[in-house]
Amino acid sequence: MSSGTTTATRAEYCVVACAGAWRGAGEVLASPMGTVPTIGARLAKLTFSPDLLLTDGEALLIGDVPAVGARAQVVEGWLPYRQHLALVATGRRHVMMGASQLDRHGNQNISCIGAWDRPERQLLGVRGAPVNTLNNPTSYWIPKHSPRVFVERVDMVSGVGYDRAAAAGPSATRYHRIPDVISNLGVFDFETPDRTMRLRSLHPGATVDQVVEATGFALTVPDDVPHTREPTAEELRLIREVIDPKALRDREVPAA
């Protein structure tokens, strides 16, 4: 880190990368799914995105930033399921979802593995992924980067990628955006001419060869790939002492 006195863990680099997804988001609802994204959203709220709206993970809008697993002390409102869906449809939300499969165009699958008529594994189901991806910025968090997740073709489209949104026309592309894909190895985006996935940064300790080997499709790799931004001393203090004092982040992303 910048002071040269403490070394950030891989999990803490992932937290900072997730927090960056909400930089400059303004007054929108952050919907992080997973421990590391939850810590990231709370870190963003306490630092560079103070207008961000947070929930307790269920139905309460909270005004403070409690530690992960702790009860909020400031409740600003009630957000029942029906209102949550209405908010999603109006685009005032940036969700960071998980993915059982993700392809080079950003199509996501959380529904089933195998053929639709006879799947090998039944997963969550489509849930709200289509509405999320067509109406809000939708990023993805993958705690274990592997060819089983980063696949050539998803078995079923739950979240809509850039190719399918383009094929559907202006009604689908108007608000469709996938700003970030963050894994335990690096940060990825779709800032390429054909809107396919690109390696944007590597977490320290990860290599380009490691990322390529763990990805089941041809990934765009720039000639010079930077490292993911280092946490500042204050960010590490907030992560370790305020937001995640029980170090739950290390369970999701063990030390490399």
Side-chain angles (χ1 to χ4, degrees):
M1 53 180 286
S2 56
S3 66
T5 59
T6 307
T7 301
T9 65
R10 177 69 64 83
E12 288 161 346
Y13 276 97
C14 291
V15 166
V16 166
C18 287
W22 288 285
R23 183 181 291 275
E27 192 174 327
V28 301
L29 180 66
S31 293
M33 300 180 184
T35 301
V36 165
T38 296
I39 300 167
R42 295 183 185 195
L43 179 65
K45 170 77 171 178
L46 288 174
T47 54
F48 45 74
S49 293
D51 294 331
L52 206 60
L53 301 178
L54 301 177
T55 75
D56 64 347
E58 295 185 13
L60 297 179
L61 287 169
I62 60 175
D64 58 348
V65 184
V68 176
R71 185 185 297 272
Q73 299 302 308
V74 180
V75 175
E76 292 187 328
W78 183 45
L79 190 66
Y81 194 59
R82 178 179 294 180
Q83 283 185 257
H84 203 139
L85 289 178
L87 186 146
V88 169
T90 59
R92 292 173 292 166
R93 181 185 190 226
H94 184 164
V95 59
M96 185 171 287
M97 301 178 68
S100 299
Q101 294 178 327
L102 196 66
D103 70 19
R104 60 157 56 92
H105 298 284
N107 295 293
Q108 171 241 36
N109 175 26
I110 52 172
S111 186
C112 65
I113 300 299
W116 167 253
D117 58 348
R118 195 175 179 85
E120 299 169 22
R121 296 286 187 275
Q122 178 65 54
L123 305 175
L124 288 173
V126 174
R127 311 292 289 180
V131 177
N132 284 333
T133 49
L134 294 184
N135 290 280
N136 308 269
T138 302
S139 296
Y140 293 106
W141 161 242
I142 312 296
K144 189 174 183 180
H145 195 125
S146 79
R148 294 181 62 182
V149 178
F150 290 84
V151 296
E152 182 67 37
R153 182 182 178 86
V154 298
D155 292 338
M156 179 183 173
V157 176
S158 303
V160 180
Y162 279 100
D163 59 338
R164 288 178 177 270
S171 63
T173 58
R174 185 178 181 185
Y175 299 115
H176 177 268
R177 188 163 69 91
I178 308 173
D180 299 284
V181 175
I182 298 157
S183 81
N184 62 314
L185 298 181
V187 181
F188 307 81
D189 61 26
F190 298 88
E191 299 302 317
T192 56
D194 59 354
R195 286 295 198 178
T196 55
M197 196 179 296
R198 167 186 84 149
L199 175 60
R200 191 167 80 207
S201 72
L202 282 168
H203 302 327
T207 67
V208 170
D209 288 344
Q210 185 181 8
V211 170
V212 170
E213 184 178 351
T215 305
F217 53 78
L219 182 68
T220 298
V221 179
D223 293 334
D224 187 15
V225 182
H227 280 127
T228 302
R229 179 179 74 82
E230 244 183 329
T232 66
E234 176 61 9
E235 286 172 330
L236 282 181
R237 185 191 70 80
L238 290 170
I239 293 169
R240 295 173 179 179
E241 299 177 16
V242 177
I243 306 170
D244 186 29
K246 295 182 180 179
L248 299 176
R249 60 194 179 278
D250 295 328
R251 299 183 189 179
E252 196 163 56
V253 182

